[in-house]
Amino acid sequence: NVLIAGFVDPRDVPTFVDNMLQNYNQYYDIVNFHSYSEDDREIINAINYIKGRMNAYNINKPLWITETATLTEYSTGWQNKVARGVVKRYVSALGNGIEKVFWWPFVGEPVLEEGGKSQKTIALVWAIKGSGEFHPRQAYNTYKLMTSKLKGFSSVTRITDTQYMFVVNNKLVYVLWGSGSIPAEISGTLKVTDYLGNIETKQSS
């Protein structure tokens, strides 16, 4: 299968996107693009834009996001922000018709609190080149948790932009964040796992 080299955020290069979709779509099998931002909701806007342009030119091909990450400054709470972004970005993408999603970068340089100098904080793991070391951040652990809960899902339904229902081994797994009412069909006693892996039993109310 042949992919486009990557649209970056398709909203940043609209003329190039339209040209590739209208005039060169016979040369690739998969439409792929990137989505980075501080606001995790922007990934949905990017998806809707590229789907709209594909519809305009009657292009029906799989969609992949070959690079995505939550951008953040090095400050208090950055690790949790990136970890929450892992869930929000993957679930939002999969729930809005994306076939595959890739976080980038997987490995980055250490920041100050990890003994380094870099202020780049979006990687799931930090390491020093050539050291053979491997230092998972909270985002890596959250990624591992998320994939363990959703691995092998057979379908996903978007309820709202912050509420999604997955069918995993014939069981329903809801991924929810933000404020507001939970889906009406959720009732009774629930097992709730947060993005840090804490598990609680709660009433739906």
Side-chain angles (χ1 to χ4, degrees):
N1 287 326
V2 177
L3 283 72
I4 301 170
F7 276 152
V8 297
D9 189 312
R11 298 169 297 174
D12 293 339
V13 286
T15 301
F16 176 63
V17 168
D18 282 7
N19 194 24
M20 288 295 290
L21 293 174
Q22 183 178 19
N23 300 315
Y24 299 102
N25 68 81
Q26 68 269 36
Y27 297 113
Y28 53 85
D29 306 297
I30 295 165
V31 175
N32 61 292
F33 63 98
H34 303 169
S35 179
Y36 294 96
S37 61
E38 292 185 19
D39 186 344
D40 294 311
R41 293 172 294 183
E42 284 299 312
I43 195 170
I44 295 178
N45 295 332
I47 292 168
N48 289 339
Y49 178 83
I50 192 67
K51 287 168 72 173
R53 301 316 298 154
M54 290 172 68
N55 288 337
Y57 295 112
N58 198 30
I59 304 299
N60 184 23
K61 296 178 185 289
L63 272 168
W64 291 12
I65 297 178
T66 41
E67 290 184 23
T68 192
T70 299
L71 303 179
T72 183
E73 295 297 326
Y74 175 66
S75 60
T76 302
W78 69 268
Q79 288 232 35
N80 285 339
K81 180 179 179 181
V82 177
R84 290 192 299 268
V86 165
V87 177
K88 292 177 182 179
R89 286 175 176 273
Y90 272 78
V91 169
S92 295
L94 297 171
N96 284 278
I98 302 298
E99 186 177 273
K100 292 184 184 292
V101 188
F102 301 81
W103 191 275
W104 192 90
F106 177 66
V107 179
E109 296 179 357
V111 296
L112 288 175
E113 69 185 60
E114 296 162 334
K117 298 179 180 179
S118 171
Q119 300 303 294
K120 297 178 180 179
T121 59
I122 60 177
L124 302 183
V125 173
W126 71 266
I128 299 172
K129 282 188 177 181
S131 68
E133 296 177 346
F134 182 84
H135 302 277
R137 291 171 170 158
Q138 180 56 53
Y140 174 88
N141 297 325
T142 297
Y143 190 106
K144 185 177 180 181
L145 173 68
M146 175 185 67
T147 55
S148 73
K149 296 292 184 183
L150 301 180
K151 182 179 180 181
F153 72 89
S154 55
S155 67
V156 54
T157 301
R158 174 190 171 278
I159 302 169
T160 71
D161 281 350
T162 61
Q163 300 183 348
Y164 297 84
M165 181 185 75
F166 290 79
V167 178
V168 184
N169 296 324
N170 296 318
K171 295 182 180 180
L172 299 182
V173 178
Y174 289 86
V175 184
L176 316 170
W177 64 88
S179 60
S181 301
I182 64 173
E185 65 268 24
I186 298 179
S187 62
T189 303
L190 308 174
K191 176 184 175 183
V192 180
T193 305
D194 70 14
Y195 73 100
L196 298 173
N198 301 311
I199 302 173
E200 294 183 78
T201 299
K202 295 183 177 182
Q203 292 299 313
S204 59
S205 58

